[in-house]
Amino acid sequence: MKIGENSFIGTGVTIIQNTNIVGNTLIGAGAVVIKNIARSGVYVGNPAKEIRKE
């Protein structure tokens, strides 16, 4: 698992093993990341979905 620079992970987030997150990304509290996040932005929900582009 790799998490890019300037990324913020909210409390209670679940990140599935071997999932990568690009830099400048915000993952909202309680989100479940089940696949790679390749584009900067804001992600929330179960499964995590983009709600705003950076």
Side-chain angles (χ1 to χ4, degrees):
M1 173 173 42
K2 293 181 183 177
I3 299 176
E5 292 184 25
N6 297 321
S7 291
F8 296 93
I9 310 297
T11 186
V13 171
T14 302
I15 302 173
I16 303 302
Q17 187 175 6
N18 296 327
T19 302
N20 298 315
I21 299 172
V22 70
N24 299 318
T25 300
L26 185 140
I27 309 296
V32 178
V33 180
I34 61 172
K35 59 183 180 179
N36 290 335
I37 295 181
R39 186 167 58 187
S40 298
V42 178
Y43 294 79
V44 297
N46 180 8
K49 294 184 180 177
E50 183 179 40
I51 62 167
R52 187 182 329 163
K53 299 176 184 175
E54 281 296 312

